[in-house]
Amino acid sequence: MSLARAAGAVVGPSKRAGTTLLQRRAASSHAHDEHHHEEYHDTNVYEPEVFNTPFWRRAAIAAVGIVAFYKYAPAPGDENPIAKYISSTMTPAKVYQDVSFKHLIGSAQISDDTKLMVDAKPPVVHRYRYPQRFEQYSPHLQPVGIKVSVGDVVVKRD
């Protein structure tokens, strides 16, 4: 708010009592007309919007090339020089089958070796609390027909 308007609001409020809010708002929106006398001029230089730019030329050439390719391209089953060249430079499928089969055999051997190593366990050793009992058995009080021979048992001393 300008200083003059503020002074007028303080000094003479009785004169303005009859003005409505709408009139005051309209007056305040046009208070700075001195700034609107200048016209805005765009100083940028724009190229004319035409369809003969290099982009549209290339797009039209590409579209014609794509249409010609689909119209004159050979069918998938037809023999043509490009297909012959590609088939002559390719490695036969039999070579890849042999390599794949050798890889399968090698993978199976490695998996068998891995399973053998994972499932490997030390030999079962029966440890008795009192191994000297083999030497202390009584030949008496044995039932008829049962004869226990412990002669071939070797007791290891740890």
Side-chain angles (χ1 to χ4, degrees):
M1 180 162 30
S2 71
L3 188 58
R5 288 188 70 198
V10 172
V11 173
S14 61
K15 293 193 287 186
R16 292 192 180 179
T19 61
T20 64
L21 179 65
L22 181 62
Q23 290 173 344
R24 276 188 274 161
R25 296 190 116 219
S28 66
S29 65
H30 298 291
H32 299 289
D33 282 338
E34 65 271 2
H35 296 295
H36 299 289
H37 291 287
E38 300 175 13
E39 286 189 27
Y40 176 71
H41 295 288
D42 190 6
T43 58
N44 294 331
V45 177
Y46 298 104
E47 294 182 18
E49 296 178 3
V50 293
F51 287 104
N52 61 357
T53 60
F55 171 77
W56 291 110
R57 191 174 338 148
R58 290 180 190 133
I61 291 170
V64 169
I66 290 170
V67 169
F69 174 76
Y70 277 110
K71 182 171 181 157
Y72 297 111
D78 293 347
E79 280 293 321
N80 57 32
I82 297 172
K84 287 179 186 177
Y85 173 73
I86 291 173
S87 64
S88 68
T89 58
M90 286 179 51
T91 306
K94 180 70 175 157
V95 172
Y96 290 118
Q97 287 176 349
D98 293 341
V99 169
S100 297
F101 185 72
K102 287 177 184 176
H103 183 264
L104 176 67
I105 297 297
S107 297
Q109 181 63 36
I110 289 172
S111 69
D112 289 343
D113 293 344
T114 304
K115 187 171 191 271
L116 178 69
M117 296 302 285
V118 168
D119 292 343
K121 295 179 185 172
V124 179
V125 177
H126 297 286
R127 303 225 183 252
Y128 295 105
R129 181 177 263 178
Y130 303 111
Q132 63 271 18
R133 287 188 58 98
F134 285 115
E135 300 166 355
Q136 295 176 351
Y137 80 96
S138 170
H140 307 292
L141 298 173
Q142 297 293 328
V144 177
I146 297 178
K147 184 176 182 183
V148 178
S149 173
V150 290
D152 59 343
V153 175
V154 178
V155 178
K156 294 182 180 179
R157 304 280 181 204
D158 291 329

